[in-house]
Amino acid sequence: MRIACLQFDPQVGDVTNNFTKADAILAKAEPEDLDLLVLPEMAFSGYNFSSLEQITPYLEPTTSGVTSSWARTTALKYNCVVTVGYPEKVDDALSQSSNPECYNSTVTVDKEGKTIANYRKSFLYYTDETWAHEGFGFFDGNIMGLGTVAMGICMDLNPYKFETPWATCEFACHVLQKKANLVILSMAWLTRQDQLPYGLLAREPDMDTISYWIARLEPIIGANKTEETIIILANRCGTEGEATYAGTSTVLGIKDGEVNVYGMLGRGEEKLLIVDTDEHSMAKIISGTK
């Protein structure tokens, strides 16, 4: 399977320039024969909104806003499935809530440009809680050409509200229960390191972040499955105000209790990562279960 992650540095509210930047990265890479393209969480609106009032001008109708339109156009252009994050607002006429019903969501379209999934983030980060509702559980489903897919968004990989026991590993257990062969995580994952020294190492992956992600996938590793599970961690990079994002978008393969790396970007690289999971992996990571 040929998979691409588009890692870049979108800015809050700068939608037009964010689209332009993503298109330029794709044009430079000239990807061919892709099966799947994954972009970060809230890829074109930016992420670090502080309130419902601030994000309201950038909310998009369910699967029919500017992000969904871009996804359809891009899917048709590159003949691949596209998953991309956006801030969703449910039509008031369809809403079950007296308040605006908003979600941190991803839309997925097939290579013909048809919407095939709209996943709503289930575990909200503090920033999300200022404007978004919780979703209704992690995504699972069969997507033609990809197989059985589990899908989450960023904080979904963490313990619920950072309160449930670490070992619960809700998302990883969901992947196992649904027997997913492909896992898509669209992210705006932060680093707690200082901005300046972090930014000076733009081409180096953040191995602390990688180690944390893998630790949250331990149930999948420990299951020692003979069939490979592909894990896509599509993060953003750069900064928004005081927020610094970890970049380090990565595609992993977990099989027989081992973690193989098919590709990985640096913490600050704005680039298209392209991997082919039918080829040999580039490295192996020793996890805590080995």
PDB file of all heavy atoms in Angstrom, residues 108-143:
ATOM      1  N   THR A 108     -13.306  11.646   5.116  1.00  0.00           N
ATOM      2  CA  THR A 108     -12.576  10.736   4.233  1.00  0.00           C
ATOM      3  C   THR A 108     -13.367  10.564   2.949  1.00  0.00           C
ATOM      4  O   THR A 108     -14.576  10.295   2.986  1.00  0.00           O
ATOM      5  CB  THR A 108     -12.362   9.366   4.905  1.00  0.00           C
ATOM      6  OG1 THR A 108     -11.609   9.544   6.111  1.00  0.00           O
ATOM      7  CG2 THR A 108     -11.611   8.413   3.981  1.00  0.00           C
ATOM      8  N   VAL A 109     -12.693  10.756   1.825  1.00  0.00           N
ATOM      9  CA  VAL A 109     -13.334  10.581   0.524  1.00  0.00           C
ATOM     10  C   VAL A 109     -12.571   9.523  -0.267  1.00  0.00           C
ATOM     11  O   VAL A 109     -11.362   9.342  -0.086  1.00  0.00           O
ATOM     12  CB  VAL A 109     -13.396  11.903  -0.272  1.00  0.00           C
ATOM     13  CG1 VAL A 109     -14.159  12.962   0.500  1.00  0.00           C
ATOM     14  CG2 VAL A 109     -12.011  12.411  -0.615  1.00  0.00           C
ATOM     15  N   ASP A 110     -13.292   8.806  -1.127  1.00  0.00           N
ATOM     16  CA  ASP A 110     -12.637   7.773  -1.922  1.00  0.00           C
ATOM     17  C   ASP A 110     -12.031   8.381  -3.185  1.00  0.00           C
ATOM     18  O   ASP A 110     -12.127   9.587  -3.432  1.00  0.00           O
ATOM     19  CB  ASP A 110     -13.594   6.622  -2.237  1.00  0.00           C
ATOM     20  CG  ASP A 110     -14.758   7.012  -3.138  1.00  0.00           C
ATOM     21  OD1 ASP A 110     -14.708   8.084  -3.782  1.00  0.00           O
ATOM     22  OD2 ASP A 110     -15.732   6.236  -3.204  1.00  0.00           O
ATOM     23  N   LYS A 111     -11.399   7.540  -3.985  1.00  0.00           N
ATOM     24  CA  LYS A 111     -10.674   8.043  -5.160  1.00  0.00           C
ATOM     25  C   LYS A 111     -11.597   8.624  -6.225  1.00  0.00           C
ATOM     26  O   LYS A 111     -11.142   9.320  -7.130  1.00  0.00           O
ATOM     27  CB  LYS A 111      -9.797   6.939  -5.749  1.00  0.00           C
ATOM     28  CG  LYS A 111     -10.536   5.708  -6.212  1.00  0.00           C
ATOM     29  CD  LYS A 111      -9.572   4.669  -6.786  1.00  0.00           C
ATOM     30  CE  LYS A 111      -8.566   4.201  -5.771  1.00  0.00           C
ATOM     31  NZ  LYS A 111      -7.641   3.175  -6.334  1.00  0.00           N
ATOM     32  N   GLU A 112     -12.903   8.370  -6.080  1.00  0.00           N
ATOM     33  CA  GLU A 112     -13.881   8.972  -6.987  1.00  0.00           C
ATOM     34  C   GLU A 112     -14.453  10.267  -6.423  1.00  0.00           C
ATOM     35  O   GLU A 112     -15.351  10.868  -7.015  1.00  0.00           O
ATOM     36  CB  GLU A 112     -15.002   7.973  -7.275  1.00  0.00           C
ATOM     37  CG  GLU A 112     -14.523   6.726  -8.016  1.00  0.00           C
ATOM     38  CD  GLU A 112     -15.637   5.725  -8.242  1.00  0.00           C
ATOM     39  OE1 GLU A 112     -16.736   5.918  -7.670  1.00  0.00           O
ATOM     40  OE2 GLU A 112     -15.412   4.758  -8.984  1.00  0.00           O
ATOM     41  N   GLY A 113     -13.948  10.682  -5.257  1.00  0.00           N
ATOM     42  CA  GLY A 113     -14.387  11.928  -4.655  1.00  0.00           C
ATOM     43  C   GLY A 113     -15.652  11.824  -3.832  1.00  0.00           C
ATOM     44  O   GLY A 113     -16.235  12.841  -3.450  1.00  0.00           O
ATOM     45  N   LYS A 114     -16.086  10.604  -3.524  1.00  0.00           N
ATOM     46  CA  LYS A 114     -17.299  10.406  -2.732  1.00  0.00           C
ATOM     47  C   LYS A 114     -16.951  10.314  -1.244  1.00  0.00           C
ATOM     48  O   LYS A 114     -15.984   9.647  -0.865  1.00  0.00           O
ATOM     49  CB  LYS A 114     -18.016   9.125  -3.170  1.00  0.00           C
ATOM     50  CG  LYS A 114     -18.493   9.153  -4.617  1.00  0.00           C
ATOM     51  CD  LYS A 114     -19.129   7.819  -5.005  1.00  0.00           C
ATOM     52  CE  LYS A 114     -19.574   7.833  -6.462  1.00  0.00           C
ATOM     53  NZ  LYS A 114     -20.123   6.509  -6.879  1.00  0.00           N
ATOM     54  N   THR A 115     -17.749  10.973  -0.415  1.00  0.00           N
ATOM     55  CA  THR A 115     -17.531  10.910   1.028  1.00  0.00           C
ATOM     56  C   THR A 115     -17.861   9.516   1.538  1.00  0.00           C
ATOM     57  O   THR A 115     -18.960   9.003   1.308  1.00  0.00           O
ATOM     58  CB  THR A 115     -18.406  11.940   1.759  1.00  0.00           C
ATOM     59  OG1 THR A 115     -18.082  13.250   1.281  1.00  0.00           O
ATOM     60  CG2 THR A 115     -18.169  11.884   3.260  1.00  0.00           C
ATOM     61  N   ILE A 116     -16.908   8.901   2.242  1.00  0.00           N
ATOM     62  CA  ILE A 116     -17.129   7.545   2.753  1.00  0.00           C
ATOM     63  C   ILE A 116     -17.044   7.471   4.271  1.00  0.00           C
ATOM     64  O   ILE A 116     -17.410   6.454   4.861  1.00  0.00           O
ATOM     65  CB  ILE A 116     -16.143   6.538   2.118  1.00  0.00           C
ATOM     66  CG1 ILE A 116     -14.691   7.003   2.274  1.00  0.00           C
ATOM     67  CG2 ILE A 116     -16.483   6.321   0.650  1.00  0.00           C
ATOM     68  CD1 ILE A 116     -13.668   6.003   1.744  1.00  0.00           C
ATOM     69  N   ALA A 117     -16.580   8.547   4.915  1.00  0.00           N
ATOM     70  CA  ALA A 117     -16.533   8.550   6.385  1.00  0.00           C
ATOM     71  C   ALA A 117     -16.447   9.977   6.890  1.00  0.00           C
ATOM     72  O   ALA A 117     -15.817  10.840   6.266  1.00  0.00           O
ATOM     73  CB  ALA A 117     -15.344   7.740   6.895  1.00  0.00           C
ATOM     74  N   ASN A 118     -17.098  10.219   8.022  1.00  0.00           N
ATOM     75  CA  ASN A 118     -16.958  11.483   8.742  1.00  0.00           C
ATOM     76  C   ASN A 118     -16.819  11.125  10.217  1.00  0.00           C
ATOM     77  O   ASN A 118     -17.799  10.836  10.897  1.00  0.00           O
ATOM     78  CB  ASN A 118     -18.167  12.390   8.529  1.00  0.00           C
ATOM     79  CG  ASN A 118     -17.956  13.769   9.136  1.00  0.00           C
ATOM     80  OD1 ASN A 118     -17.124  14.536   8.663  1.00  0.00           O
ATOM     81  ND2 ASN A 118     -18.693  14.083  10.192  1.00  0.00           N
ATOM     82  N   TYR A 119     -15.584  11.106  10.683  1.00  0.00           N
ATOM     83  CA  TYR A 119     -15.316  10.699  12.066  1.00  0.00           C
ATOM     84  C   TYR A 119     -15.209  11.921  12.971  1.00  0.00           C
ATOM     85  O   TYR A 119     -14.559  12.914  12.615  1.00  0.00           O
ATOM     86  CB  TYR A 119     -14.023   9.878  12.155  1.00  0.00           C
ATOM     87  CG  TYR A 119     -13.608   9.673  13.592  1.00  0.00           C
ATOM     88  CD1 TYR A 119     -14.383   8.889  14.444  1.00  0.00           C
ATOM     89  CD2 TYR A 119     -12.492  10.312  14.111  1.00  0.00           C
ATOM     90  CE1 TYR A 119     -14.044   8.741  15.779  1.00  0.00           C
ATOM     91  CE2 TYR A 119     -12.140  10.160  15.443  1.00  0.00           C
ATOM     92  CZ  TYR A 119     -12.922   9.381  16.277  1.00  0.00           C
ATOM     93  OH  TYR A 119     -12.599   9.247  17.602  1.00  0.00           O
ATOM     94  N   ARG A 120     -15.822  11.829  14.159  1.00  0.00           N
ATOM     95  CA  ARG A 120     -15.808  12.916  15.137  1.00  0.00           C
ATOM     96  C   ARG A 120     -14.984  12.508  16.353  1.00  0.00           C
ATOM     97  O   ARG A 120     -15.247  11.475  16.974  1.00  0.00           O
ATOM     98  CB  ARG A 120     -17.247  13.249  15.551  1.00  0.00           C
ATOM     99  CG  ARG A 120     -18.057  13.826  14.393  1.00  0.00           C
ATOM    100  CD  ARG A 120     -19.544  13.814  14.661  1.00  0.00           C
ATOM    101  NE  ARG A 120     -20.269  14.525  13.601  1.00  0.00           N
ATOM    102  CZ  ARG A 120     -21.591  14.501  13.458  1.00  0.00           C
ATOM    103  NH1 ARG A 120     -22.342  13.792  14.302  1.00  0.00           N
ATOM    104  NH2 ARG A 120     -22.158  15.181  12.476  1.00  0.00           N
ATOM    105  N   LYS A 121     -14.001  13.310  16.677  1.00  0.00           N
ATOM    106  CA  LYS A 121     -13.059  13.032  17.766  1.00  0.00           C
ATOM    107  C   LYS A 121     -13.802  12.694  19.056  1.00  0.00           C
ATOM    108  O   LYS A 121     -14.676  13.437  19.498  1.00  0.00           O
ATOM    109  CB  LYS A 121     -12.166  14.256  17.966  1.00  0.00           C
ATOM    110  CG  LYS A 121     -10.988  14.075  18.906  1.00  0.00           C
ATOM    111  CD  LYS A 121     -10.153  15.355  18.897  1.00  0.00           C
ATOM    112  CE  LYS A 121      -8.878  15.256  19.698  1.00  0.00           C
ATOM    113  NZ  LYS A 121      -8.092  16.522  19.612  1.00  0.00           N
ATOM    114  N   SER A 122     -13.412  11.585  19.665  1.00  0.00           N
ATOM    115  CA  SER A 122     -14.114  11.096  20.849  1.00  0.00           C
ATOM    116  C   SER A 122     -13.511  11.615  22.152  1.00  0.00           C
ATOM    117  O   SER A 122     -14.233  11.961  23.086  1.00  0.00           O
ATOM    118  CB  SER A 122     -14.111   9.564  20.853  1.00  0.00           C
ATOM    119  OG  SER A 122     -14.815   9.070  19.738  1.00  0.00           O
ATOM    120  N   PHE A 123     -12.186  11.632  22.238  1.00  0.00           N
ATOM    121  CA  PHE A 123     -11.494  12.095  23.439  1.00  0.00           C
ATOM    122  C   PHE A 123     -10.980  13.513  23.171  1.00  0.00           C
ATOM    123  O   PHE A 123     -10.057  13.703  22.377  1.00  0.00           O
ATOM    124  CB  PHE A 123     -10.316  11.183  23.780  1.00  0.00           C
ATOM    125  CG  PHE A 123     -10.692   9.800  24.254  1.00  0.00           C
ATOM    126  CD1 PHE A 123     -12.015   9.376  24.291  1.00  0.00           C
ATOM    127  CD2 PHE A 123      -9.710   8.916  24.663  1.00  0.00           C
ATOM    128  CE1 PHE A 123     -12.354   8.102  24.726  1.00  0.00           C
ATOM    129  CE2 PHE A 123     -10.032   7.640  25.109  1.00  0.00           C
ATOM    130  CZ  PHE A 123     -11.358   7.226  25.138  1.00  0.00           C
ATOM    131  N   LEU A 124     -11.568  14.485  23.821  1.00  0.00           N
ATOM    132  CA  LEU A 124     -11.220  15.877  23.548  1.00  0.00           C
ATOM    133  C   LEU A 124     -10.036  16.335  24.392  1.00  0.00           C
ATOM    134  O   LEU A 124      -9.957  16.051  25.592  1.00  0.00           O
ATOM    135  CB  LEU A 124     -12.419  16.788  23.825  1.00  0.00           C
ATOM    136  CG  LEU A 124     -13.691  16.503  23.028  1.00  0.00           C
ATOM    137  CD1 LEU A 124     -14.746  17.558  23.336  1.00  0.00           C
ATOM    138  CD2 LEU A 124     -13.419  16.435  21.529  1.00  0.00           C
ATOM    139  N   TYR A 125      -9.136  17.072  23.758  1.00  0.00           N
ATOM    140  CA  TYR A 125      -8.054  17.749  24.462  1.00  0.00           C
ATOM    141  C   TYR A 125      -8.616  19.039  25.057  1.00  0.00           C
ATOM    142  O   TYR A 125      -9.697  19.503  24.688  1.00  0.00           O
ATOM    143  CB  TYR A 125      -6.916  18.043  23.478  1.00  0.00           C
ATOM    144  CG  TYR A 125      -5.636  18.522  24.126  1.00  0.00           C
ATOM    145  CD1 TYR A 125      -4.960  17.726  25.046  1.00  0.00           C
ATOM    146  CD2 TYR A 125      -5.101  19.770  23.818  1.00  0.00           C
ATOM    147  CE1 TYR A 125      -3.782  18.162  25.643  1.00  0.00           C
ATOM    148  CE2 TYR A 125      -3.923  20.213  24.403  1.00  0.00           C
ATOM    149  CZ  TYR A 125      -3.273  19.403  25.319  1.00  0.00           C
ATOM    150  OH  TYR A 125      -2.115  19.844  25.912  1.00  0.00           O
ATOM    151  N   TYR A 126      -7.873  19.640  25.982  1.00  0.00           N
ATOM    152  CA  TYR A 126      -8.357  20.851  26.651  1.00  0.00           C
ATOM    153  C   TYR A 126      -8.780  21.922  25.647  1.00  0.00           C
ATOM    154  O   TYR A 126      -9.805  22.595  25.827  1.00  0.00           O
ATOM    155  CB  TYR A 126      -7.271  21.422  27.570  1.00  0.00           C
ATOM    156  CG  TYR A 126      -6.635  20.426  28.502  1.00  0.00           C
ATOM    157  CD1 TYR A 126      -5.259  20.223  28.501  1.00  0.00           C
ATOM    158  CD2 TYR A 126      -7.406  19.672  29.385  1.00  0.00           C
ATOM    159  CE1 TYR A 126      -4.666  19.305  29.356  1.00  0.00           C
ATOM    160  CE2 TYR A 126      -6.821  18.752  30.240  1.00  0.00           C
ATOM    161  CZ  TYR A 126      -5.447  18.566  30.222  1.00  0.00           C
ATOM    162  OH  TYR A 126      -4.867  17.657  31.057  1.00  0.00           O
ATOM    163  N   THR A 127      -7.991  22.091  24.600  1.00  0.00           N
ATOM    164  CA  THR A 127      -8.295  23.103  23.586  1.00  0.00           C
ATOM    165  C   THR A 127      -9.622  22.811  22.901  1.00  0.00           C
ATOM    166  O   THR A 127     -10.414  23.727  22.635  1.00  0.00           O
ATOM    167  CB  THR A 127      -7.165  23.161  22.542  1.00  0.00           C
ATOM    168  OG1 THR A 127      -5.917  23.307  23.222  1.00  0.00           O
ATOM    169  CG2 THR A 127      -7.350  24.319  21.583  1.00  0.00           C
ATOM    170  N   ASP A 128      -9.892  21.539  22.614  1.00  0.00           N
ATOM    171  CA  ASP A 128     -11.151  21.152  21.969  1.00  0.00           C
ATOM    172  C   ASP A 128     -12.354  21.453  22.857  1.00  0.00           C
ATOM    173  O   ASP A 128     -13.436  21.798  22.362  1.00  0.00           O
ATOM    174  CB  ASP A 128     -11.165  19.650  21.660  1.00  0.00           C
ATOM    175  CG  ASP A 128      -9.982  19.199  20.835  1.00  0.00           C
ATOM    176  OD1 ASP A 128      -9.687  19.859  19.831  1.00  0.00           O
ATOM    177  OD2 ASP A 128      -9.354  18.192  21.199  1.00  0.00           O
ATOM    178  N   GLU A 129     -12.178  21.289  24.153  1.00  0.00           N
ATOM    179  CA  GLU A 129     -13.304  21.416  25.079  1.00  0.00           C
ATOM    180  C   GLU A 129     -13.895  22.822  25.103  1.00  0.00           C
ATOM    181  O   GLU A 129     -15.021  23.012  25.561  1.00  0.00           O
ATOM    182  CB  GLU A 129     -12.869  20.999  26.483  1.00  0.00           C
ATOM    183  CG  GLU A 129     -12.604  19.502  26.603  1.00  0.00           C
ATOM    184  CD  GLU A 129     -12.060  19.099  27.958  1.00  0.00           C
ATOM    185  OE1 GLU A 129     -11.546  19.992  28.684  1.00  0.00           O
ATOM    186  OE2 GLU A 129     -12.142  17.908  28.299  1.00  0.00           O
ATOM    187  N   THR A 130     -13.153  23.805  24.588  1.00  0.00           N
ATOM    188  CA  THR A 130     -13.671  25.174  24.572  1.00  0.00           C
ATOM    189  C   THR A 130     -14.750  25.370  23.513  1.00  0.00           C
ATOM    190  O   THR A 130     -15.482  26.359  23.561  1.00  0.00           O
ATOM    191  CB  THR A 130     -12.539  26.192  24.319  1.00  0.00           C
ATOM    192  OG1 THR A 130     -12.005  26.000  23.002  1.00  0.00           O
ATOM    193  CG2 THR A 130     -11.428  26.043  25.343  1.00  0.00           C
ATOM    194  N   TRP A 131     -14.857  24.413  22.546  1.00  0.00           N
ATOM    195  CA  TRP A 131     -15.824  24.633  21.461  1.00  0.00           C
ATOM    196  C   TRP A 131     -16.488  23.366  20.924  1.00  0.00           C
ATOM    197  O   TRP A 131     -17.559  23.444  20.312  1.00  0.00           O
ATOM    198  CB  TRP A 131     -15.147  25.355  20.289  1.00  0.00           C
ATOM    199  CG  TRP A 131     -14.050  24.561  19.625  1.00  0.00           C
ATOM    200  CD1 TRP A 131     -12.731  24.531  19.969  1.00  0.00           C
ATOM    201  CD2 TRP A 131     -14.182  23.672  18.517  1.00  0.00           C
ATOM    202  NE1 TRP A 131     -12.025  23.680  19.150  1.00  0.00           N
ATOM    203  CE2 TRP A 131     -12.897  23.146  18.239  1.00  0.00           C
ATOM    204  CE3 TRP A 131     -15.255  23.280  17.716  1.00  0.00           C
ATOM    205  CZ2 TRP A 131     -12.655  22.245  17.213  1.00  0.00           C
ATOM    206  CZ3 TRP A 131     -15.020  22.374  16.685  1.00  0.00           C
ATOM    207  CH2 TRP A 131     -13.737  21.868  16.440  1.00  0.00           C
ATOM    208  N   ALA A 132     -15.906  22.203  21.148  1.00  0.00           N
ATOM    209  CA  ALA A 132     -16.383  20.992  20.472  1.00  0.00           C
ATOM    210  C   ALA A 132     -17.140  20.052  21.403  1.00  0.00           C
ATOM    211  O   ALA A 132     -16.892  20.005  22.611  1.00  0.00           O
ATOM    212  CB  ALA A 132     -15.204  20.245  19.851  1.00  0.00           C
ATOM    213  N   HIS A 133     -18.072  19.291  20.820  1.00  0.00           N
ATOM    214  CA  HIS A 133     -18.726  18.182  21.503  1.00  0.00           C
ATOM    215  C   HIS A 133     -17.870  16.925  21.348  1.00  0.00           C
ATOM    216  O   HIS A 133     -17.099  16.800  20.396  1.00  0.00           O
ATOM    217  CB  HIS A 133     -20.097  17.888  20.879  1.00  0.00           C
ATOM    218  CG  HIS A 133     -21.159  18.896  21.189  1.00  0.00           C
ATOM    219  ND1 HIS A 133     -21.056  20.222  20.844  1.00  0.00           N
ATOM    220  CD2 HIS A 133     -22.360  18.755  21.801  1.00  0.00           C
ATOM    221  CE1 HIS A 133     -22.151  20.865  21.227  1.00  0.00           C
ATOM    222  NE2 HIS A 133     -22.952  19.997  21.812  1.00  0.00           N
ATOM    223  N   GLU A 134     -18.043  15.976  22.254  1.00  0.00           N
ATOM    224  CA  GLU A 134     -17.407  14.671  22.091  1.00  0.00           C
ATOM    225  C   GLU A 134     -18.104  13.892  20.982  1.00  0.00           C
ATOM    226  O   GLU A 134     -19.324  13.971  20.815  1.00  0.00           O
ATOM    227  CB  GLU A 134     -17.491  13.851  23.381  1.00  0.00           C
ATOM    228  CG  GLU A 134     -16.576  14.320  24.487  1.00  0.00           C
ATOM    229  CD  GLU A 134     -16.590  13.379  25.682  1.00  0.00           C
ATOM    230  OE1 GLU A 134     -17.367  12.390  25.660  1.00  0.00           O
ATOM    231  OE2 GLU A 134     -15.839  13.629  26.639  1.00  0.00           O
ATOM    232  N   GLY A 135     -17.314  13.108  20.254  1.00  0.00           N
ATOM    233  CA  GLY A 135     -17.880  12.188  19.280  1.00  0.00           C
ATOM    234  C   GLY A 135     -18.471  10.973  19.966  1.00  0.00           C
ATOM    235  O   GLY A 135     -18.569  10.909  21.195  1.00  0.00           O
ATOM    236  N   PHE A 136     -18.825   9.976  19.159  1.00  0.00           N
ATOM    237  CA  PHE A 136     -19.614   8.853  19.670  1.00  0.00           C
ATOM    238  C   PHE A 136     -18.864   7.527  19.622  1.00  0.00           C
ATOM    239  O   PHE A 136     -19.459   6.467  19.500  1.00  0.00           O
ATOM    240  CB  PHE A 136     -20.915   8.751  18.867  1.00  0.00           C
ATOM    241  CG  PHE A 136     -21.654  10.057  18.787  1.00  0.00           C
ATOM    242  CD1 PHE A 136     -21.656  10.800  17.618  1.00  0.00           C
ATOM    243  CD2 PHE A 136     -22.306  10.567  19.896  1.00  0.00           C
ATOM    244  CE1 PHE A 136     -22.323  12.018  17.546  1.00  0.00           C
ATOM    245  CE2 PHE A 136     -22.975  11.781  19.839  1.00  0.00           C
ATOM    246  CZ  PHE A 136     -22.980  12.511  18.664  1.00  0.00           C
ATOM    247  N   GLY A 137     -17.556   7.576  19.734  1.00  0.00           N
ATOM    248  CA  GLY A 137     -16.760   6.351  19.691  1.00  0.00           C
ATOM    249  C   GLY A 137     -15.841   6.336  18.492  1.00  0.00           C
ATOM    250  O   GLY A 137     -16.103   6.970  17.471  1.00  0.00           O
ATOM    251  N   PHE A 138     -14.748   5.608  18.613  1.00  0.00           N
ATOM    252  CA  PHE A 138     -13.752   5.555  17.549  1.00  0.00           C
ATOM    253  C   PHE A 138     -14.342   4.928  16.284  1.00  0.00           C
ATOM    254  O   PHE A 138     -15.225   4.081  16.349  1.00  0.00           O
ATOM    255  CB  PHE A 138     -12.541   4.736  18.000  1.00  0.00           C
ATOM    256  CG  PHE A 138     -11.979   5.151  19.330  1.00  0.00           C
ATOM    257  CD1 PHE A 138     -11.754   4.210  20.324  1.00  0.00           C
ATOM    258  CD2 PHE A 138     -11.678   6.476  19.604  1.00  0.00           C
ATOM    259  CE1 PHE A 138     -11.231   4.572  21.552  1.00  0.00           C
ATOM    260  CE2 PHE A 138     -11.156   6.860  20.829  1.00  0.00           C
ATOM    261  CZ  PHE A 138     -10.941   5.901  21.813  1.00  0.00           C
ATOM    262  N   PHE A 139     -13.790   5.317  15.149  1.00  0.00           N
ATOM    263  CA  PHE A 139     -14.282   4.819  13.863  1.00  0.00           C
ATOM    264  C   PHE A 139     -13.740   3.426  13.571  1.00  0.00           C
ATOM    265  O   PHE A 139     -12.590   3.106  13.860  1.00  0.00           O
ATOM    266  CB  PHE A 139     -13.843   5.765  12.738  1.00  0.00           C
ATOM    267  CG  PHE A 139     -14.186   5.268  11.355  1.00  0.00           C
ATOM    268  CD1 PHE A 139     -15.409   5.577  10.781  1.00  0.00           C
ATOM    269  CD2 PHE A 139     -13.293   4.478  10.638  1.00  0.00           C
ATOM    270  CE1 PHE A 139     -15.734   5.118   9.507  1.00  0.00           C
ATOM    271  CE2 PHE A 139     -13.605   4.012   9.365  1.00  0.00           C
ATOM    272  CZ  PHE A 139     -14.834   4.334   8.804  1.00  0.00           C
ATOM    273  N   ASP A 140     -14.586   2.610  12.968  1.00  0.00           N
ATOM    274  CA  ASP A 140     -14.121   1.391  12.318  1.00  0.00           C
ATOM    275  C   ASP A 140     -15.020   1.128  11.124  1.00  0.00           C
ATOM    276  O   ASP A 140     -16.205   1.460  11.135  1.00  0.00           O
ATOM    277  CB  ASP A 140     -14.139   0.192  13.278  1.00  0.00           C
ATOM    278  CG  ASP A 140     -15.551  -0.238  13.642  1.00  0.00           C
ATOM    279  OD1 ASP A 140     -16.144   0.372  14.559  1.00  0.00           O
ATOM    280  OD2 ASP A 140     -16.071  -1.165  13.005  1.00  0.00           O
ATOM    281  N   GLY A 141     -14.439   0.567  10.085  1.00  0.00           N
ATOM    282  CA  GLY A 141     -15.217   0.260   8.893  1.00  0.00           C
ATOM    283  C   GLY A 141     -14.327  -0.286   7.803  1.00  0.00           C
ATOM    284  O   GLY A 141     -13.098  -0.201   7.875  1.00  0.00           O
ATOM    285  N   ASN A 142     -14.948  -0.869   6.800  1.00  0.00           N
ATOM    286  CA  ASN A 142     -14.207  -1.393   5.659  1.00  0.00           C
ATOM    287  C   ASN A 142     -14.182  -0.345   4.559  1.00  0.00           C
ATOM    288  O   ASN A 142     -15.228   0.168   4.160  1.00  0.00           O
ATOM    289  CB  ASN A 142     -14.840  -2.689   5.152  1.00  0.00           C
ATOM    290  CG  ASN A 142     -13.970  -3.370   4.112  1.00  0.00           C
ATOM    291  OD1 ASN A 142     -14.031  -3.045   2.931  1.00  0.00           O
ATOM    292  ND2 ASN A 142     -13.153  -4.310   4.558  1.00  0.00           N
ATOM    293  N   ILE A 143     -12.990  -0.001   4.108  1.00  0.00           N
ATOM    294  CA  ILE A 143     -12.826   0.965   3.023  1.00  0.00           C
ATOM    295  C   ILE A 143     -12.191   0.244   1.843  1.00  0.00           C
ATOM    296  O   ILE A 143     -11.115  -0.355   1.980  1.00  0.00           O
ATOM    297  CB  ILE A 143     -11.962   2.160   3.462  1.00  0.00           C
ATOM    298  CG1 ILE A 143     -12.675   2.937   4.579  1.00  0.00           C
ATOM    299  CG2 ILE A 143     -11.662   3.074   2.279  1.00  0.00           C
ATOM    300  CD1 ILE A 143     -11.897   4.120   5.112  1.00  0.00           C
TER     301      ILE A 143
END
